[in-house]
Amino acid sequence: MLNKVPEVTIFFWIIKILATTVGETAADFLNFNLNWGLTNTTYLMSALLLITLFFQFKARKYVPGIYWLAVVLISVVGTLITDNLVDNFGVALETTTIVFTIALLATFAAWYASEKTLSIHSIYTTRREAFYWLIILFTFALGTAAGDLTAEGLNLGYLNSALMFAALIGVVTIAHYFFKLNGVLAFWIAYILTRPLGASLGDYLSQPRDAGGLGLGTVGTSAIFLVIILVLVIYLTKTRRDQLPSPNVAEE
């Protein structure tokens, strides 16, 4: 099969951050605004994610619509997993952050031990794709916990938390381009950090002003970002700007 993930372009990072923000706001919208509750919302979104992943795994190459729908849905499910642990089971944010960090590192270790590479330019086998999506799920769950921990648990506020994670991504970018930080390592660090960035940004835009947000609401924030994601995915589908030229080029 051909490589199953997109090339890392500016469009990749824009859609990724938008998707992480939607994951935060959409989960809150379904849970609170529609009164579905965490349990019912988790069941429904998990079912939709599994259906989407079925088609993603069945595809023989990267398909923008399927791939980015899976990312949006896994963002929502990752958020709901953390919310369930914290709200329904009383697990502390510090604990969830530590647990998902360990789970993420363990999955990276298993992936590398099995495949000898962590490059997203080498996702052209089913096993590597399985590792990839498991990593994505843990990054979203971890990012939700870490974002809430810094913004609420440490009282940094949503905006300051978002700015902090954005600054960390900037540091990683500088380290890669100017100090030769390994490309694969830089990618995954930045990818992990975009989740708490998106979570903090989503809360800042949607939460009421008296809670430290801008008061746009979960409906407005989710709708705006979903429209932008849709427009960009349609553009990429037509232009193929984010498709890798070679299926078997792996970064070492």
Side-chain angles (χ1 to χ4, degrees):
M1 67 177 70
L2 300 179
N3 198 27
K4 299 292 293 295
V5 302
E7 176 61 286
V8 182
T9 65
I10 185 62
F11 299 104
F12 178 93
W13 292 114
I14 291 173
I15 300 176
K16 170 60 168 62
I17 293 174
L18 292 174
T20 61
T21 305
V22 168
E24 187 75 16
T25 57
D28 289 343
F29 169 70
L30 296 173
N31 181 22
F32 298 110
N33 294 64
L34 297 186
N35 295 315
W36 286 5
L38 273 176
T39 302
N40 291 333
T41 302
T42 303
Y43 287 152
L44 175 62
M45 300 310 294
S46 296
L48 292 176
L49 173 61
L50 290 175
I51 293 172
T52 304
L53 285 178
F54 170 80
F55 288 103
Q56 168 66 24
F57 275 88
K58 188 177 180 181
R60 306 305 295 174
K61 63 179 182 179
Y62 161 65
V63 180
I66 299 175
Y67 174 87
W68 287 112
L69 177 59
V71 171
V72 171
L73 289 173
I74 208 168
S75 174
V76 177
V77 171
T79 300
L80 290 168
I81 289 174
T82 298
D83 288 346
N84 271 284
L85 290 173
V86 174
D87 296 339
N88 284 350
F89 296 97
V91 181
L93 286 171
E94 294 86 348
T95 303
T96 55
T97 300
I98 294 172
V99 168
F100 285 127
T101 297
I102 295 173
L104 188 61
L105 292 175
T107 307
F108 273 127
W111 182 359
Y112 189 80
S114 172
E115 304 297 323
K116 305 307 179 186
T117 179
L118 298 176
S119 172
I120 69 164
H121 290 169
S122 64
I123 310 298
Y124 46 80
T125 68
T126 300
R127 182 163 58 182
R128 290 183 180 184
E129 189 175 11
F131 277 122
Y132 176 80
W133 287 108
L134 187 59
I135 288 288
I136 302 307
L137 177 62
F138 284 142
T139 63
F140 281 122
L142 170 61
T144 300
D148 289 346
L149 176 62
T150 57
E152 300 172 6
L154 301 180
N155 296 317
L156 289 182
Y158 301 122
L159 179 59
N160 289 335
S161 181
L163 292 175
M164 180 188 72
F165 288 114
L168 291 174
I169 293 173
V171 171
V172 173
T173 303
I174 292 172
H176 172 57
Y177 284 106
F178 295 98
F179 298 97
K180 307 303 181 183
L181 177 65
N182 178 270
V184 175
L185 178 60
F187 169 82
W188 282 116
I189 294 175
Y191 195 98
I192 292 168
L193 289 172
T194 57
R195 181 58 183 108
L197 169 62
S200 300
L201 181 61
D203 283 334
Y204 176 65
L205 293 173
S206 62
Q207 293 301 312
R209 292 183 180 275
D210 57 5
L214 290 181
L216 297 181
T218 56
V219 178
T221 304
S222 299
I224 293 171
F225 281 32
L226 282 172
V227 169
I228 298 174
I229 291 173
L230 179 61
V231 170
L232 290 176
V233 170
I234 292 174
Y235 170 76
L236 293 174
T237 301
K238 291 183 175 296
T239 63
R240 302 164 65 94
R241 292 277 306 269
D242 63 340
Q243 297 193 23
L244 289 166
S246 173
N248 293 333
V249 177
E251 295 174 355
E252 299 300 339

